[in-house]
Amino acid sequence: MPAVRAADRLLERPIPRSGEAIPAVGLGTWQAFDVAGNAAEMAQAREALRALVDLGGRVVDSSPMYGSAESVCGALAAELGIGPKLFVATKVWTSGTQAGIRQMEDSMRKLRVERLDLMQVHNLVDARTHLATLREWKKAGRVRYVGVTHYHVGAHGDLEKFIKPGDIDFVQVNYSLAEPQADRRLLAIAAETRTAVIVNRPFAEGAMFGRVKGKPLPAWAGEIGCASWAQFFLKWILGHPAVTCAIPGTRNAMHVADNLGAASGPLPDEAMRKRMAAHFESL
Ligand SMILES: NC(=O)c1ccc[n+]([C@@H]2O[C@H](COP(=O)([O-])OP(=O)(O)OC[C@H]3O[C@@H](n4cnc5c(N)ncnc54)[C@H](OP(=O)(O)O)[C@@H]3O)[C@@H](O)[C@H]2O)c1
């Protein structure tokens, strides 16, 4: 199984607004960590989180929309004693000022943190309302960074409007070889406005593995250190200079190690990224 060794140094990228560096591959928890009450799946999630931190990863992304994922993540981080090492991102996904405040406070309890590293408005739901609260919370030190998210190309224009004024720290968006549209405009605007970019759905919710099933990696993928299709997909994403961090979803510790492997060794330059895209298209 291709993996990163604990001794390898993970690629980190700076959050433009602060200069603080975070590992370029993190962990998404949608579905994967919605496992409260299932002992076998909880044990898998524990090993996935342990692997993330053992191998130098830190970024975990959740949401109140993900069932028990926030509670599971908080409980496992406490059990493993790794809470302080994590960069914890979650979201607010409701309407109205008071409902937003209640939900965000609830998330902090579930995740067992006194302040959140990153609070994002999930799918831009009632974004102006929550961003007003979050600007206050940031001043008061309850959140360190503020962001907006979406998962669909149809919302890229709206994300663009939110980040254009240049006062939102992070934009989280879908971007992959299967869904490359963010690089038409949004990623360039993120770079211009010094907005950090978190990439969700890096494998188009896993669908990309179906497309390459039974197909070997091209020999030239070795030139950029790809030992698996997951690394091929992630290195293509990380090759875009505006990308700060990609957050593949899984509770499989082997997959976590495989994914973190994309954040070590060389990354593709623009010519190589074009070659990778053409190859993916040809499959
Ligand atoms: N609106 C939003 O804000 C929004 C929307 C979508 C997603 N997100 C965030 O982004 C994260 C990632 O998106 P996603 O979970 O939808 O999709 P994804 O990361 O594109 O794909 C997840 C799928 O990839 C598989 N996988 C992961 N690593 C693998 C590996 N190394 N080899 C083979 N298969 C692998 C997983 O299977 P296994 O479980 O078998 O590993 C799972 O089926 C989410 O978990 C969530 O945190 C946010």
Side-chain angles (χ1 to χ4, degrees), residues 71-269:
S71 315
V72 165
C73 189
L76 294 180
E79 203 180 308
L80 292 165
I82 58 170
K85 289 190 179 163
L86 295 178
F87 182 97
V88 181
T90 194
K91 313 191 186 87
V92 54
W93 182 64
T94 187
S95 293
T97 301
Q98 289 312 318
I101 289 172
R102 273 196 303 277
Q103 190 178 69
M104 293 192 287
E105 287 178 339
D106 201 36
S107 291
M108 287 163 89
R109 267 191 300 278
K110 289 176 172 166
L111 286 160
R112 306 192 193 195
V113 295
E114 297 200 343
R115 74 179 179 165
L116 274 160
D117 293 302
L118 169 60
M119 178 59 86
Q120 308 152 104
V121 182
H122 199 148
N123 290 351
L124 295 172
V125 174
D126 204 6
R128 291 193 194 286
T129 300
H130 302 312
L131 287 171
T133 305
L134 284 170
R135 285 188 184 102
E136 293 303 313
W137 278 32
K138 193 174 156 183
K139 273 191 219 141
R142 297 186 84 180
V143 297
R144 298 177 58 227
Y145 300 102
V146 171
V148 287
T149 81
H150 216 288
Y151 69 100
H152 193 267
V153 60
H156 288 186
D158 291 331
L159 287 175
E160 184 182 321
K161 283 185 205 135
F162 275 95
I163 67 169
K164 243 186 169 153
D167 63 345
I168 292 194
D169 304 310
F170 276 81
V171 62
Q172 183 186 136
V173 67
N174 58 314
Y175 183 53
S176 67
L177 278 164
E179 298 174 353
Q181 298 89 345
D183 63 21
R184 285 188 198 144
R185 283 175 61 96
L186 187 62
L187 294 183
I189 289 160
E192 267 165 39
T193 55
R194 306 183 73 247
T195 309
V197 175
I198 291 184
V199 169
N200 65 36
R201 296 174 54 85
F203 306 137
E205 208 182 316
M208 291 164 70
F209 293 107
R211 186 137 154 202
V212 298
K213 200 163 182 222
K215 295 179 179 145
L217 280 171
W220 45 264
E223 289 171 32
I224 49 160
C226 292
S228 67
W229 279 110
Q231 293 180 8
F232 186 96
F233 299 153
L234 289 169
K235 278 183 180 264
W236 180 84
I237 293 169
L238 299 179
H240 195 295
V243 171
T244 312
C245 174
I247 48 163
T250 186
R251 67 167 177 281
N252 177 330
M254 300 282 268
H255 285 173
V256 170
D258 185 16
N259 296 339
L260 288 177
S264 74
L267 286 178
D269 62 13

